[in-house]
Amino acid sequence: MRPADVFYSVAAGPRWRRVLLTPVGLLVFGGLLLLVVWGSLSTDRALGLPQLFPGVPGMAVGLPLVAAGVALWGSCIALFWSARGTPVPFNPPRELVVTGPYALMRNPMLAGVFACLFGLGFLLHSLSMVFLWTPIFVALNAVELKLVEEPELERRFGESFKEYRRRVPMFIPYAARSGKNRT
């Protein structure tokens, strides 16, 4: 069974299963975020890397990124809750959310997480968090989205998701939209 099939069977399955697996999904994702932070700081120490923008410059770059990321992340969670779902792929909203930041990009919640990680990297002055660990985390999430979550969404929402995917980019919003798929 492919991972997309597992996610579909849970997301489209009984409510008790979705509710039971939601904390598991939160723990796994939270653990991955902690791994990025811990791994970055450990890498910096082990390799003796210099601090990235120490002092005020790091804060000046990091705080706005974290603030923007938290705001984006929070607005997406609120949209999912209002649609009677959670941000955890095991217990998503029953309807395709295409409003708010989702009108501009397909994965604004993750974009907010990425902004938070980059911002935290600047706040912690971590060279490896900004240039190694967070980019790897972004790449792995993009692959997971393409191989697991998007096939599951296509199976659950059919043509409406295909059309949404065709007109809305994955992460980076753009001004002029065409009928092309921009990922």
Side-chain angles (χ1 to χ4, degrees):
M1 185 178 256
R2 295 182 349 223
D5 296 331
V6 172
F7 273 80
Y8 176 79
S9 70
V10 174
R15 178 173 162 65
W16 66 266
R17 189 180 326 158
R18 293 191 313 271
V19 170
L20 183 69
L21 289 175
T22 296
V24 173
L26 283 172
L27 286 172
V28 168
F29 191 72
L32 290 172
L33 293 176
L34 288 174
L35 177 65
V36 169
V37 174
W38 176 82
S40 299
L41 297 176
S42 296
T43 300
D44 289 343
R45 272 192 307 276
L47 298 177
L49 296 176
Q51 287 192 334
L52 179 66
F53 296 141
V56 174
M59 290 182 71
V61 174
L63 282 176
L65 281 171
V66 169
V70 166
L72 186 55
W73 197 359
S75 69
C76 293
I77 290 171
L79 277 171
F80 273 37
W81 282 343
S82 69
R84 297 181 319 274
T86 72
V88 178
F90 291 134
N91 194 7
R94 302 278 129 235
E95 60 195 54
L96 185 61
V97 177
V98 296
T99 60
Y102 287 92
L104 302 173
M105 62 182 121
R106 294 194 309 268
N107 299 285
M109 194 176 319
L110 275 175
V113 171
F114 302 156
C116 284
L117 284 173
F118 279 115
L120 190 57
F122 283 103
L123 289 173
L124 296 173
H125 315 296
S126 174
L127 199 61
S128 69
M129 186 180 290
V130 172
F131 293 107
L132 177 67
W133 284 83
T134 300
I136 289 171
F137 184 77
V138 170
L140 291 174
N141 272 276
V143 168
E144 185 273 338
L145 286 168
K146 282 298 198 186
L147 297 179
V148 179
E149 286 191 44
E150 288 196 345
E152 187 277 326
L153 288 166
E154 186 175 325
R155 184 170 174 188
R156 206 159 25 103
F157 296 114
E159 195 55 44
S160 60
F161 178 74
K162 287 180 185 177
E163 171 55 29
Y164 175 67
R165 184 177 57 211
R166 271 191 291 276
R167 66 184 167 76
V168 178
M170 184 179 261
F171 291 118
I172 302 170
Y174 51 90
R177 294 199 178 120
S178 67
K180 295 179 183 176
N181 180 7
R182 298 197 180 189
T183 50

